Amino acid sequence: MNASQLNKAMDFLRDSLAQATVLWWNFFDWLALVEWRQLFITWFLAMAFGLILTLPEPAVWYVILSYGVKVLAGGKRKAELMAKEATATASVAVLERRLLEAQMATLQAQVEPHFLFNTLALIGQLIETDPPQAARIHMHLIEYLRSTLPQMRAAGGGTLGRQVQLSRAYLAIMQARMKERLTVSFDVPVQLEHLPFPPMMLQILIENAIKHGLEPKIEGGRIDVGARLVGDTMHVDVRDNGVGFNMHAGDGVGLANIRERLFLLFGPRAELVIEMPAEGGALASLRVPRTSKESN
């Protein structure tokens, strides 16, 4: 092969690689945006054609690959696409709101694969040593995903009841991991569960309480989640008896996003209050107007 033919071959390989990269990212973006129902239809069609052509292996790999990408990375990519679309088309006020929602979704998508992998690894270990406990955690994980997926699809806000359901499933899994080091209680009146409440804020506070309050404490502790009405304001509290909150350290990414999101949604009528109870630990309180709803 002479130099001219070699150069042509290298150009062809470069062009093929570039085209393959474009096709992959188009497929990636499609997976990020496609509804689960439509994805299920493509799985069915792929398996049907695979069986007709007696080539089931490519169909099986398509199902596995698309499911893995959709669950583990699709949320983050969708958030990036939402932010890009918002930057191009939204007005300044709507742009700020959508960009912040995209940041929250990206933060959630970055945390969820780590949480999912840890939970699956725990189930794998318990299958060998404690099958009944593995089955219980498996059911809690299913409940967590059932609570999460509708919120990931929804364009608008959620209710306090949905956030509590999601937090119960999350804490049930954390209790299985931390065992006697974690005790949980909920005191949320049924009549408040239908009220609008911003998605994921409650879980972020619970995650912070475990990570910064209870995990550093050798003996662990407890988390108490409660809600009540004070006039026309709904207070949703997360209290822990952990090592406490450093009031001089400033907010982390999660708390800073909550404060900014509250301001964009409700203005000065909503706030996040962090307190250090006299008996120790920390108290984080989300205070939002009772009748206000998130707007898209």
Side-chain angles (χ1 to χ4, degrees):
M1 181 180 294
N2 57 38
S4 177
Q5 291 174 325
L6 181 60
N7 288 336
K8 289 181 180 180
M10 293 299 296
D11 289 339
F12 176 79
L13 288 176
R14 281 193 292 267
D15 292 341
S16 299
L17 180 60
Q19 187 62 35
T21 302
V22 171
L23 291 174
W24 163 252
W25 281 110
N26 287 339
F27 174 67
F28 196 102
D29 291 346
W30 175 77
L31 280 178
L33 298 174
V34 70
E35 296 291 337
W36 279 100
R37 181 176 177 275
Q38 294 173 324
L39 186 58
F40 291 155
I41 293 174
T42 69
W43 290 351
F44 172 79
L45 293 175
M47 294 301 298
F49 280 108
L51 293 175
I52 293 173
L53 300 175
T54 65
L55 293 171
E57 290 84 1
V60 171
W61 277 111
Y62 165 71
V63 172
I64 295 174
L65 177 64
S66 60
Y67 177 81
V69 171
K70 179 74 170 175
V71 171
L72 299 180
K76 182 177 180 179
R77 184 60 178 170
K78 185 176 182 179
E80 293 170 349
L81 293 173
M82 289 170 56
K84 182 178 180 180
E85 179 184 0
T87 302
T89 62
S91 65
V92 174
V94 176
L95 173 62
E96 290 180 351
R97 189 187 303 269
R98 290 186 179 178
L99 285 176
L100 185 56
E101 290 296 332
Q103 291 170 3
M104 293 292 293
T106 301
L107 180 63
Q108 178 187 355
Q110 290 171 341
V111 173
E112 280 182 348
H114 180 68
F115 169 68
L116 181 61
F117 280 133
N118 284 345
T119 304
L120 292 175
L122 177 62
I123 293 173
Q125 294 172 6
L126 291 174
I127 287 175
E128 300 292 334
T129 60
D130 191 350
Q133 178 72 339
R136 284 191 291 271
I137 298 176
H138 178 249
M139 292 304 299
H140 292 317
L141 180 59
I142 291 175
E143 184 63 28
Y144 175 83
L145 293 175
R146 279 177 179 166
S147 301
T148 303
L149 287 175
Q151 296 181 55
M152 293 172 66
R153 298 175 189 157
T159 64
L160 179 60
R162 285 189 176 182
Q163 305 315 306
V164 169
Q165 181 186 18
L166 177 63
S167 298
R168 285 184 187 274
Y170 172 80
L171 282 169
I173 294 172
M174 295 306 299
Q175 280 184 299
R177 288 172 56 183
M178 297 177 66
K179 300 187 183 301
E180 66 278 359
R181 295 183 62 239
L182 177 59
T183 304
V184 174
S185 75
F186 282 83
D187 182 15
V188 179
V190 176
Q191 60 268 28
L192 299 184
E193 292 185 354
H194 73 282
L195 294 178
F197 193 78
M200 298 311 300
M201 289 191 184
L202 177 57
Q203 184 170 340
I204 290 175
L205 293 184
I206 291 173
E207 290 173 356
N208 272 0
I210 292 177
K211 181 178 179 180
H212 301 294
L214 301 186
E215 285 188 340
K217 193 175 179 180
I218 295 176
E219 65 273 25
R222 65 178 294 111
I223 288 180
D224 300 303
V225 180
R228 66 191 191 280
L229 282 178
V230 179
D232 291 330
T233 301
M234 181 164 59
H235 291 213
V236 179
D237 302 331
V238 177
R239 181 190 299 268
D240 70 78
N241 64 345
V243 298
F245 184 84
N246 186 352
M247 303 296 288
H248 303 289
D251 293 341
V253 175
L255 297 183
N257 272 299
I258 287 178
R259 293 188 193 278
E260 187 175 356
R261 189 173 173 217
L262 283 175
F263 182 78
L264 288 174
L265 294 173
F266 306 111
R269 297 174 298 156
E271 60 180 341
L272 168 63
V273 178
I274 306 293
E275 299 178 356
M276 296 285 289
E279 61 273 20
L283 171 62
S285 180
L286 286 164
R287 302 174 182 178
V288 301
R290 176 183 178 180
T291 57
S292 295
K293 295 184 179 180
E294 290 182 291
S295 58
N296 295 328

